[in-house]
Amino acid sequence: QVQLGESGGGLVQPGGSLRLSCAASKRTSNNFVMGWFRQAPGKERDFVAAIKYSSRHTYYADSVKGRFTISRGSAENTVDLQMNSLKPEDTAVYYCAADGTLIQSSIRRPEQYDYWGQGTQVTVSS
């Protein structure tokens, strides 16, 4: 079992920045993927970004490309999501997810991830 803990959510004005962090209790394979999804009220959980921990290969949703950056954190088994130029439509609960058995075509699909954090609220509002 892998435990995930998120931090860094909050309230920010449009155009501002936030940094989310996720720490995993362990990695389960050399193909360990850590990702971020978000869910706004009444909407489905959507893919935001993911990183293959070992290779550092990254994946982004089109809606955040160029504004968000996912990277390995300074501590072992952590990833950060740097969010810049935030928009009101970025408002959602952001969830960290992880899995050790994903194939590339599954990385953007939330139902393929075995491990989830509890979520952190991001609100973009003036």
Side-chain angles (χ1 to χ4, degrees):
Q1 194 74 3
V2 176
Q3 282 77 46
L4 301 176
E6 302 120 330
S7 62
L11 172 65
V12 65
Q13 292 186 341
S17 298
L18 278 176
R19 189 176 190 89
L20 305 183
S21 294
C22 177
S25 58
K26 63 180 180 180
R27 300 199 307 272
T28 57
S29 76
N30 288 331
N31 192 36
F32 199 68
V33 175
M34 296 181 72
W36 289 93
F37 292 78
R38 65 188 181 186
Q39 189 166 19
K43 295 191 176 182
E44 294 184 347
R45 191 167 296 189
D46 291 332
F47 172 75
V48 175
I51 185 168
K52 288 187 176 180
Y53 192 86
S54 294
S55 69
R56 304 183 191 228
H57 194 88
T58 57
Y59 305 81
Y60 294 96
D62 289 342
S63 59
V64 307
K65 205 172 291 184
R67 300 188 297 125
F68 291 11
T69 302
I70 189 169
S71 62
R72 281 170 47 168
S74 56
E76 186 75 9
N77 299 337
T78 63
V79 294
D80 296 328
L81 183 69
Q82 178 66 40
M83 305 186 293
N84 298 329
S85 302
L86 282 160
K87 305 174 182 179
E89 50 264 42
D90 294 317
T91 296
V93 177
Y94 282 69
Y95 295 92
C96 180
D99 198 280
T101 63
L102 295 175
I103 59 175
Q104 184 143 329
S105 61
S106 299
I107 285 176
R108 299 168 187 266
R109 298 169 60 185
E111 69 275 13
Q112 298 296 317
Y113 285 75
D114 281 343
Y115 308 111
W116 290 88
Q118 296 207 349
T120 184
Q121 177 70 46
V122 171
T123 302
V124 185
S125 175
S126 54

